[in-house]
Amino acid sequence: MAEKNKQDFITDEEKNPYIKYFRKDRLPTIFCSGCGIGITINSFLKGLESADIDFNNLSLVSGIGCSSRVPGYLNCDSLHTTHGRAISFATGLKIGNPDLNVVVFTGDGDASAIGGNHLIHAARRNINLTVICINNNIYGMTGGQVSPTSPEGSLATTAPYGSIDTPFNLIDLVTAAGASFVGRWTTAHPLQLSKSIKNGLLNNGFSFIEVVSQCPTYYGRKNKLKTPVSMIKMFKENSINKRRADTLSEEELLGKIVVGEFVNKKREELSKKIDDLSYIKSGRNTIRKSAYIL
Amino acid sequence: MTKELFIQGNEACARGAIEAGCRFFGGYPITPSTEIAEYLSIALPKVSGSFIQMEDEISAIGSVIGASWSGIKSMTATSGPGFSLMQENIGFAVMSETPLVIVNVQRGSPSTGQPTMAGQGDMMQARWGSHGDYETIAISPSSVQEFFDFTILGFNLAEKYRVPVLILADEVIGHMREKVRLQDNVETLKRIKPKEDLKDFLPFKNVENGTNPMPSFGDGYNIHVTGLTHNELGYPSTISPKDHSTLVKRLVNKILKNREDIISTDFKYCDDADIVLIGYGSPVRSIIEAVKIGRKNGVKIGYLKINTPWPFPENEVAKIAKSADDLMVVEMNLGQMVHEVERIAKNNANVHLFSEIGGTLPKPTDILNKVKELL
């Protein structure tokens, strides 16, 4: 009884040191219990703090899907857009005001199915956005349909006999398109994930971080991984670091999740190029927030 | 200072945008609108603005919405196929109350249609193209001068009512060259920051006149902008019937209750006219010519020129329907705005359609011949 009373006096901040970043009046979240998005948010906020990013200068942009609900819970400027299009909105926001730190929260369906074109073009342009793609291999919001990253043979409500599609490797996709920072971790690697998010935020260019995440409600239930714990365990057992993976054959890597940082290179960034062009042609950088003065 | 130039319609539009304070253009090449993008790719960096060619029209309007929330007056330009692709995000701009300008230089349609020829087939799409109940503002220029003036007007209305404004031009106006008087100290409407303390600020408040002041991202208001039905704070509220009807009715009424401020028409010889020609965009040129010839020949004919097809000038049409026996809508489609005229005229006047498709302007003599058949 005494123990229980003590629990009641624990402040929100003691339960979660990152609670200060939340819109507390919007809690609890809509996420299912055991969802990997909670781990991802905590890793993101830890990465944000260690990268020393000013929270007041942060803009979060998202599309549609479970992962795209993240910005609505964090107390900074947030733009919850149409399905697949978040990166295009973020592109305009970043070019309009290159001083903002712009982070996109997206999922496998949002980023690589309906929004695939915007993803590769943003990577090609190397615009300074940090895209956090929470990949649960399924459409959660609409109730468990097959996605472009669903493993071959996995079950979904629209793949009742097992998926016959070949899945995307998002890392290969954005790397080929020109992203200057690329990383992948799972929700079983929260510390490594936050470090990669930090590195992505600090990269002055297009950063893509894939978070392989559990959806126990749909992916797990359909694919004999009913509990969040069994899914995270599966991630842990099947993950293999990039450095080790590089020494293995394709057969040996079958069914494995290769994790690590894949790209981290310096490349000219788009919003600065546009700002510089303005300087060359007009003698000054683009005018920030000019709608209020023109 | 005012200067006179002999320029193309699309260039006049682009120059108007710069004068209005537009400092971001996101677009995708499409005939017959491309010269607007080309001109702005040269001009914007010279006035400390930004230009980007996006990967398609969906991302073009996406980037424009993003840039608008960064605090920049922003626009895109397109034609039918691109306008179709933009529809979902137009609805988002309405729901999130994002000021922006979309220029649609209409061409022969449907589908790929006639890229280099004129049409007015997108009039109803402009009204109903995105899903759901909504109101926007649409403006149709009928000369190169008006393409300049109406682009400035479009930016001012977009800021005043926080809506996407559609400039429904057509290929004739876009590609024609005419003398234009360009004013360089035009009246622009600056965006106004909210006055309230950050803590008390309700970004989507149900205010009397419908339109709230707009902060930009990075101002410290920490606002949430969503296409979901939202409450006054901007937070999603998707199962409350009250929140939904309050929001959607405010968005619709902020346009409808300000019709008188928004709507613009011109008319001539309507008082004693037996028949009044009604049009918008480039066919107005043929209409005016037909009326001139008709009057010379003793025909009691007048015209009503609609500068703002949406919201539809109901009172203006109703007034003319009471005084004239016949109304004839001249449009370059198989009959779109004629349905609006019929709806308003009811039993007060006979409503006729002069329809011309194929890409060329209706001939004044053809219009007049049809008038003579009717009288």
Side-chain angles (χ1 to χ4, degrees):
Chain A
M1 201 62 192
E3 276 303 298
K4 200 182 172 193
N5 284 340
K6 200 181 158 194
Q7 279 283 323
D8 290 342
F9 290 108
I10 293 177
T11 62
D12 289 344
E13 279 72 16
E14 282 169 321
K15 282 182 200 157
N16 185 338
Y18 303 117
I19 200 79
K20 61 185 176 206
Y21 296 118
F22 280 78
R23 292 183 168 119
K24 280 196 204 168
D25 52 351
R26 284 217 63 206
L27 298 177
T29 70
I30 60 160
F31 306 128
C32 306
S33 37
C35 173
I37 291 176
I39 296 171
T40 310
I41 295 177
N42 280 341
S43 294
F44 166 67
L45 293 170
K46 191 177 167 69
L48 198 77
E49 278 192 350
S50 49
D52 217 7
I53 303 282
D54 178 7
F55 200 74
N56 293 320
N57 199 39
L58 178 72
S59 292
L60 301 181
V61 186
S62 64
I64 297 295
C66 299
S67 56
S68 290
R69 290 302 188 96
V70 170
Y73 295 112
L74 297 175
N75 196 19
C76 60
D77 289 317
S78 49
L79 184 58
H80 177 220
T81 72
T82 48
H83 196 18
R85 318 302 173 195
I87 290 174
S88 67
F89 285 68
T91 297
L93 189 62
K94 179 68 186 175
I95 293 171
N97 186 353
D99 304 333
L100 294 173
N101 277 302
V102 183
V103 175
V104 175
F105 274 89
T106 184
D108 41 320
D110 194 53
S112 73
I114 189 165
N117 202 26
H118 313 308
L119 176 68
I120 57 174
H121 283 276
R124 170 178 70 84
R125 296 184 180 111
N126 197 35
I127 183 164
N128 190 1
L129 307 173
T130 301
V131 175
I132 298 172
C133 178
I134 306 175
N135 175 10
N136 58 8
N137 301 303
I138 206 155
Y139 283 81
M141 186 69 86
T142 46
Q145 294 76 33
V146 70
S147 97
T149 61
S150 299
E152 228 168 316
S154 66
L155 296 167
T157 59
T158 49
Y161 310 114
S163 172
I164 51 173
D165 274 359
T166 306
F168 258 139
N169 181 334
L170 299 179
I171 299 305
D172 289 352
L173 182 71
V174 293
T175 300
S180 52
F181 180 89
V182 180
R184 178 200 276 142
W185 297 101
T186 77
T187 45
H189 307 87
L191 293 175
Q192 295 95 321
L193 173 62
S194 65
K195 201 170 162 229
S196 278
I197 288 173
K198 173 194 167 191
N199 292 341
L201 289 165
L202 292 175
N203 171 44
N204 183 25
F206 186 81
S207 303
F208 182 85
I209 296 129
E210 177 184 348
V211 188
V212 177
S213 175
Q214 73 276 16
C215 172
T217 304
Y218 291 110
Y219 191 88
R221 196 150 49 94
K222 285 260 166 203
N223 291 283
K224 298 191 175 114
L225 291 158
K226 279 191 183 165
T227 65
V229 174
S230 61
M231 291 203 76
I232 295 175
K233 254 185 164 170
M234 184 271 279
F235 293 155
K236 207 162 194 174
E237 284 159 10
N238 289 302
S239 292
I240 178 163
N241 198 284
K242 184 192 171 289
R243 266 165 303 170
R244 243 202 87 209
D246 286 344
T247 67
L248 299 176
S249 69
E250 232 173 86
E251 287 76 43
E252 288 170 305
L253 286 173
L254 218 65
K256 299 285 181 201
I257 305 165
V258 183
V259 294
E261 292 186 0
F262 299 78
V263 180
N264 194 352
K265 63 181 180 192
K266 287 219 179 324
R267 191 154 86 74
E268 267 201 296
E269 191 274 329
L270 180 78
S271 68
K272 184 173 185 304
K273 282 200 256 183
I274 292 175
D275 217 11
D276 288 349
L277 183 65
S278 164
Y279 194 85
I280 293 163
K281 295 292 172 189
S282 73
R284 57 170 295 175
N285 294 109
T286 61
I287 307 168
R288 315 295 199 248
K289 299 177 188 175
S290 59
Y292 301 93
I293 52 171
L294 290 173
Chain B
M1 206 184 76
T2 302
K3 60 180 169 187
E4 287 190 344
L5 286 177
F6 185 71
I7 53 169
Q8 196 192 48
N10 282 342
E11 182 181 337
C13 166
R15 283 174 178 268
I18 298 278
E19 290 303 326
C22 173
R23 291 297 180 268
F24 179 93
F25 182 96
Y28 188 80
I30 185 167
T31 306
S33 77
T34 310
E35 294 86 359
I36 298 171
E38 287 174 338
Y39 184 91
L40 288 170
S41 71
I42 299 167
L44 277 168
K46 293 182 185 171
V47 292
S48 313
S50 314
F51 172 93
I52 185 166
Q53 182 173 317
M54 293 298 286
E55 54 272 17
D56 54 30
E57 287 89 346
I58 302 172
S59 52
I61 183 171
S63 72
V64 167
I65 296 170
S68 187
W69 278 102
S70 80
I72 312 280
K73 292 184 186 176
S74 305
M75 86 165 198
T76 188
T78 189
S79 188
F83 193 55
S84 292
L85 286 176
M86 290 181 183
Q87 294 305 321
E88 185 191 9
N89 280 343
I90 290 175
F92 181 89
V94 169
M95 195 68 152
S96 59
E97 300 178 74
T98 309
L100 55 92
V101 171
I102 301 165
V103 181
N104 177 359
V105 187
Q106 296 174 88
R107 64 193 219 184
S109 55
S111 190
T112 316
Q114 299 173 288
T116 62
M117 303 293 270
Q120 294 184 309
D122 309 349
M123 301 308 295
M124 283 294 165
Q125 184 184 26
R127 175 68 187 81
W128 300 109
S130 198
H131 51 283
D133 291 307
Y134 69 101
E135 294 284 338
T136 59
I137 297 170
I139 315 176
S140 281
S142 64
S143 65
V144 175
Q145 180 70 54
E146 281 186 351
F147 211 175
F148 176 81
D149 296 336
F150 287 3
T151 302
I152 296 166
L153 173 68
F155 273 97
N156 287 344
L157 289 172
E159 292 297 330
K160 190 168 185 182
Y161 296 107
R162 283 184 61 182
V163 280
V165 170
L166 314 170
I167 308 215
L168 300 175
D170 55 70
E171 189 274 339
V172 167
I173 302 303
H175 282 162
M176 182 169 56
R177 284 168 199 276
E178 277 186 313
K179 193 167 79 173
V180 189
R181 286 165 61 88
L182 303 177
Q183 280 179 295
D184 60 3
N185 51 359
V186 296
E187 226 175 280
T188 62
L189 209 66
K190 294 172 184 63
R191 202 173 284 182
I192 297 160
K193 287 225 163 107
K195 287 193 188 82
E196 289 94 331
D197 190 77
L198 297 185
K199 276 182 189 158
D200 301 330
F201 180 53
L202 290 170
F204 300 95
K205 200 172 172 182
N206 189 27
V207 286
E208 179 77 29
N209 75 352
T211 312
N212 286 288
M214 180 175 173
S216 59
F217 277 36
D219 279 351
Y221 285 91
N222 295 343
I223 60 169
H224 184 55
V225 178
T226 177
L228 287 170
T229 293
H230 42 273
N231 58 23
E232 292 186 317
L233 252 173
Y235 291 177
S237 171
T238 57
I239 54 169
S240 156
K242 186 172 169 284
D243 281 354
H244 184 77
S245 73
T246 304
L247 172 65
V248 175
K249 283 176 183 169
R250 175 171 67 79
L251 298 183
V252 165
N253 285 332
K254 77 177 175 182
I255 303 300
L256 294 186
K257 286 191 175 170
N258 290 294
R259 280 168 193 273
E260 284 186 19
D261 178 54
I262 298 165
I263 287 169
S264 158
T265 57
D266 294 309
F267 50 87
K268 211 166 181 184
Y269 308 122
C270 288
D271 294 344
D272 69 334
D274 295 327
I275 182 163
V276 172
L277 303 179
I278 300 176
Y280 52 90
S282 64
V284 168
R285 308 169 74 85
S286 305
I287 289 174
I288 292 174
E289 192 61 25
V291 170
K292 269 189 204 164
I293 303 169
R295 280 280 165 182
K296 262 185 205 164
N297 292 298
V299 184
K300 285 191 172 174
I301 184 171
Y303 71 82
L304 171 70
K305 169 179 180 282
I306 297 173
N307 299 325
T308 50
W310 305 117
F312 189 71
E314 297 182 354
N315 294 340
E316 290 75 1
V317 171
K319 200 177 149 206
I320 284 168
K322 277 180 192 150
S323 66
D325 292 339
D326 292 273
L327 307 177
M328 190 163 86
V329 180
V330 180
E331 49 186 345
M332 292 168 74
N333 51 46
L334 292 179
Q336 295 197 12
M337 299 307 280
V338 69
H339 298 306
E340 287 295 291
V341 175
E342 279 167 351
R343 179 173 70 82
I344 302 305
K346 288 197 184 95
N347 300 323
N348 291 322
N350 303 311
V351 178
H352 313 278
L353 169 69
F354 185 98
S355 151
E356 176 106 14
I357 64 165
T360 51
L361 275 183
K363 289 192 186 70
T365 46
D366 289 350
I367 297 172
L368 211 53
N369 286 340
K370 180 150 184 186
V371 167
K372 283 174 183 165
E373 277 170 33
L374 292 170
L375 293 176

